Amino acid sequence: MAARIEHLVTSGQFSLDGGTWDVDNNVWLVGDDREVIVIDAAHDAEAIAEAVGDRRLSAIVCTHAHNDHIDAAPALAERTGAPIWLHPDDLPLWKQTHPDRLPDHWLADGQVIEAAGADLTVLHTPGHAPGAVCLYDPGLGTVFTGDTLFAGGPGATGRSYSHFPTIIDSIRDRLLALPPDTTVHTGHGDSTTIGAEAPHLEEWIARGH
């Protein structure tokens, strides 16, 4: 049985640097009828657990550690027994939300996370956050970009732990090198493709955001 992608939108708040904003987050599930991975356990552990259903949740993968992408991860892990994966460079951000609960495993660039026939390759793409990662599955023709790349440009870099030149390098070197027809599933908002975004790189650099 081939892996499939399921999509859930959860709502909550993003807080950093003393500000708080209402946000809608994309939660992605990759798997089949027996086993599934959750990418970014945002806001609502109960709703995500309902989407998982009676399948085995083999991993909760965090694209980065801003609170709106990880706030439900410990509760979901406790409920399902699934381990939480995060890139170690985002540990300072993680501790702002979960000071008493560490992730279970560290993500590494080039690592492959397997579940239900899906092979998600970890691409370390810092810039929006130091430990930001994207997850690429050539078999599914899809990359999950978290807040690194959106429909219309790079993720925000105006707050702590972020850096605009770094995110541009990550997008240019790691993401735009993927096949143009690769679907881009983002952390917020609509999906896009690598081919739709690639022509706009110089515009983004000129705008500087």
Side-chain angles (χ1 to χ4, degrees):
M1 185 182 299
R4 63 180 183 270
I5 298 167
E6 299 161 49
H7 179 214
L8 185 68
V9 177
T10 58
S11 300
Q13 292 186 321
F14 165 56
S15 298
L16 188 66
D17 296 342
T20 295
W21 300 265
D22 291 331
V23 288
D24 295 327
N25 282 63
N26 294 325
V27 180
W28 300 99
L29 292 82
V30 183
D32 60 14
D33 290 342
R34 294 182 302 274
E35 183 183 27
V36 69
I37 288 172
V38 163
I39 300 170
D40 287 346
H43 308 308
D44 191 337
E46 187 171 336
I48 300 168
E50 282 182 20
V52 171
D54 59 3
R55 295 176 289 182
R56 185 172 84 88
L57 181 57
S58 56
I60 301 164
V61 183
C62 308
T63 61
H64 62 296
H66 284 152
N67 73 291
D68 57 317
H69 291 257
I70 63 166
D71 50 4
L76 184 63
E78 188 172 329
R79 185 168 178 154
T80 60
I84 300 169
W85 290 79
L86 178 75
H87 193 282
D89 289 356
D90 258 19
L91 185 58
L93 278 167
W94 172 275
K95 285 182 172 178
Q96 290 185 14
T97 304
H98 302 301
D100 302 319
R101 179 11 167 140
L102 289 174
D104 300 293
H105 302 296
W106 300 120
L107 295 168
D109 187 65
Q111 171 185 1
V112 178
I113 296 175
E114 301 175 21
D119 294 314
L120 296 165
T121 298
V122 176
L123 307 176
H124 183 210
T125 51
H128 180 70
V133 301
C134 299
L135 301 162
Y136 174 53
D137 187 324
L140 292 171
T142 299
V143 62
F144 299 90
T145 56
D147 289 1
T148 295
L149 178 64
F150 292 109
T157 53
R159 301 189 184 100
S160 295
Y161 299 99
S162 64
H163 190 242
F164 180 74
T166 301
I167 202 171
I168 288 295
D169 287 347
S170 291
I171 291 170
R172 178 198 289 119
D173 299 341
R174 307 306 304 276
L175 298 180
L176 300 188
L178 300 176
D181 60 353
T182 302
T183 299
V184 177
H185 285 324
T186 62
H188 307 271
D190 295 334
S191 297
T192 181
T193 65
I194 293 296
E197 302 306 320
H200 302 292
L201 179 67
E202 297 307 321
E203 292 170 36
W204 304 335
I205 294 170
R207 288 205 312 257
H209 80 86

